[in-house]
Amino acid sequence: MTSPRSSSSPRPNTAFRELRGQRSPAEFAAAVRRAAREIGEHVSCDARYVGRVESGEIRCPNYAYERVFRHMFPGREPADMGFAPRESVRGRGARKKGSAPSGNSESPAESRTAGAGDGAIDSSEESDVLRRAFLTSGPASLAAASLGTAPGTRAGRHAGEAEAAAVEHAVRRIRVLDDRHGADGLYRRAARPLKAAYDLLDAGTRRQSVADRLHAGAGELAISVGWLAHDSGRFDDARSHYAEALATARVAGDSALEAHAFCNTAFLARDAGRPREAVRAAQAAQQAGRHLASARLMSLLNLREAGGWAHLGDRVACEAALLRARALFGRGPSDADPEWMTFFGEAELEGLEAQCWSALGDWRRAAEHAGRAVVLQDPHFTRNIALYTAQLAGDLVRNGRPEEAAAAGGRVLDLLEGVRSARIRSMLTDTARLLRRYAAQPEVATFLARHRAATRRAA
């Protein structure tokens, strides 16, 4: 029995067609995919999907696409884009398991057959797998929820597309939450599905394509958890997770994952006071990524190398790496850019260069680049705005501009109400220490009082 549908023909979505403008459907689809990467979503938009929307076949996009379209067209509601209200398409209330969709919205089946870009599971809502595994689960619940068993029992079946998609979705969710809120509140929860992801690998699969996705997903999850440990000051834990990701990359022969693991290892080594290791890891990442056709990836890897040289005090080598990074960045984005690089735009380029000049003791140039990073950063990346502003505050006080530093520090305190990052708090504490000699200045005194109060609350 088929689901009831309206007898009328679909009405073309002229509003959405106008938003596409002069771009071809394929060009617009590529823009949608790029916008998705910018906010941590992953959709497999192509010219066919654009045609289905414009023809009226898709009357209401799923939630993932809706978030992307809102990002692309700020201030516009779905109705402004020509979409029908969700309740008029799907019926009121949540759709029961097994029931048919009541209109021409994207159905779970469509989402699953659309490929990895649509998450391979119903992306119209956060999956039950993700909720159980990431937000509330025990260590084995991701595998258990995916394989349909209770934790601690054997599934009796191989991992498949849905299991690979569950791991990939968990990685994306962690990244989105980190971008907005920082690592401290996420690390312990995010670490729990990691073992389950490797349990899925151990369960085996009958298809090489699924095995490849599971290896890549587990490795990326290890890196994401390692980053949360890194950003919350747990350097030994971070090093262990990055090493696990690197081992997974080597086993799978995955050069993209290997480049990512070495990239984060270089960052960690710099922060942990091992700059020569940072340089070597960054160079190893460049070696692994040289065939990936992503100039933006190579730009970031040269910035990681520049950071190591800066902390070694080698200004010549640092400047050379910075020049390479800017030249590569200038080539622009491409579809070959890894999904995890959504954070890497002009703001991050400026922020990482600011860190290099700061390490070299050139506070004026450091403050200039940090200020640009703050201005350029997309509001979605709240944590990075706090990070760049904290960098700016430290550079300003070291450059002899205490009132400006105090003002920047105050903005960081405002942001820390929604962001939890041990690294940012530590940077702000260093700034407060340097500002104490200027405590007689009213704006500085106000900041120091606020910082003391915030420190007591955090304790």
Side-chain angles (χ1 to χ4, degrees):
M1 180 176 179
T2 58
S3 59
R5 293 188 181 273
S6 170
S7 59
S8 61
S9 299
R11 179 179 301 173
N13 187 337
T14 56
F16 195 85
R17 174 63 187 87
E18 290 177 5
L19 291 173
R20 174 160 65 89
Q22 298 301 310
R23 290 171 286 188
S24 71
E27 290 171 336
F28 185 75
V32 172
R33 296 194 299 272
R34 286 194 297 270
R37 290 196 295 267
E38 290 171 2
I39 61 171
E41 290 291 353
H42 188 49
V43 297
S44 59
C45 187
D46 55 17
R48 178 176 174 272
Y49 178 90
V50 174
R52 292 176 66 203
V53 173
E54 293 181 357
S55 71
E57 182 182 349
I58 294 176
R59 293 166 52 201
C60 179
N62 65 30
Y63 283 102
Y65 274 105
E66 181 180 324
R67 285 190 289 270
V68 175
F69 295 148
R70 285 179 181 274
H71 176 65
M72 292 179 71
F73 308 111
R76 284 188 169 90
E77 295 297 320
D80 301 324
M81 306 176 203
F83 293 118
R86 197 172 301 280
E87 61 270 17
S88 74
V89 175
R90 293 188 174 176
R92 299 205 176 265
R95 190 169 59 242
K96 293 181 181 180
K97 183 177 180 181
S99 65
S102 59
N104 294 338
S105 65
E106 291 175 289
S107 68
E110 289 170 329
S111 181
R112 276 188 286 268
T113 58
D118 283 333
I121 50 179
D122 184 8
S123 56
S124 66
E125 310 229 5
E126 281 189 356
S127 68
D128 288 339
V129 168
L130 177 59
R131 279 200 294 269
R132 292 197 296 268
F134 175 53
L135 298 178
T136 60
S137 70
S141 294
L142 176 59
S146 298
L147 296 174
T149 64
T153 65
R154 297 296 296 175
R157 52 172 281 204
H158 294 283
E161 296 279 352
E163 289 71 47
V167 177
E168 292 163 351
H169 195 59
V171 173
R172 295 184 193 113
R173 184 60 176 161
I174 290 171
R175 288 174 182 159
V176 169
L177 291 172
D178 174 54
D179 289 338
R180 292 173 181 167
H181 306 295
D184 287 9
L186 299 175
Y187 173 61
R188 295 194 181 281
R189 284 187 297 164
R192 288 153 63 177
L194 183 57
K195 178 183 180 297
Y198 279 91
D199 285 345
L200 290 174
L201 272 179
D202 192 53
T205 179
R206 292 187 175 91
R207 294 171 57 188
Q208 186 60 45
S209 62
V210 174
D212 291 343
R213 287 177 62 191
L214 282 171
H215 274 96
E220 290 292 344
L221 187 57
I223 292 173
S224 292
V225 175
W227 164 247
L228 296 179
H230 180 172
D231 196 44
S232 56
R234 301 173 173 92
F235 287 178
D236 288 343
D237 288 354
R239 188 177 181 86
S240 175
H241 290 309
Y242 293 159
E244 185 172 34
L246 183 58
T248 303
R250 292 282 177 80
V251 167
D254 188 333
S255 57
L257 179 60
E258 182 175 346
H260 191 185
F262 272 129
C263 176
N264 278 45
T265 299
F267 194 9
L268 175 66
R270 189 207 70 175
D271 285 356
R274 298 190 297 270
R276 200 168 298 282
E277 179 185 331
V279 170
R280 290 197 300 268
Q283 292 172 341
Q286 292 168 51
Q287 183 72 10
R290 70 190 187 281
H291 298 308
L292 298 178
S294 171
R296 286 287 168 92
L297 172 61
M298 297 305 289
S299 174
L300 176 60
L301 299 179
N302 274 276
L303 285 165
R304 295 287 186 240
E305 181 182 344
W309 289 124
H311 282 261
L312 284 168
D314 191 331
R315 188 184 187 101
V316 173
C318 176
E319 288 184 336
L322 288 174
L323 285 172
R324 293 195 301 272
R326 284 200 170 270
L328 288 160
F329 187 88
R331 297 182 189 176
S334 75
D335 288 341
D337 296 339
E339 182 184 342
W340 57 268
M341 288 187 64
T342 54
F343 71 94
F344 186 59
E346 192 174 359
E348 182 74 3
L349 177 72
E350 295 287 350
L352 292 177
E353 183 161 348
Q355 292 173 7
C356 289
W357 294 120
S358 184
L360 290 168
D362 192 334
W363 314 118
R364 181 189 61 79
R365 294 181 75 172
E368 288 176 359
H369 287 283
R372 288 178 202 155
V374 173
V375 171
L376 292 167
Q377 183 58 66
D378 187 315
H380 168 79
F381 295 95
T382 310
R383 179 201 153 277
N384 278 4
I385 294 174
L387 174 65
Y388 302 148
T389 310
Q391 176 74 41
L392 175 61
D395 294 332
L396 286 169
V397 67
R398 290 177 174 89
N399 195 37
R401 299 152 68 182
E403 290 187 352
E404 294 174 72
R411 294 194 294 273
V412 178
L413 288 173
D414 293 337
L415 291 166
L416 286 178
E417 293 180 7
V419 173
R420 298 181 61 189
S421 167
R423 187 156 68 110
I424 296 172
R425 288 199 309 271
S426 176
M427 293 168 67
L428 201 59
T429 295
D430 287 343
T431 298
R433 175 177 52 79
L434 294 172
L435 279 171
R436 286 174 194 152
R437 70 184 72 175
Y438 306 101
Q441 299 182 20
E443 190 160 2
V444 173
T446 298
F447 164 73
L448 291 174
R450 286 190 63 197
H451 182 260
R452 284 194 296 270
T455 302
R456 285 196 295 269
R457 287 196 300 272

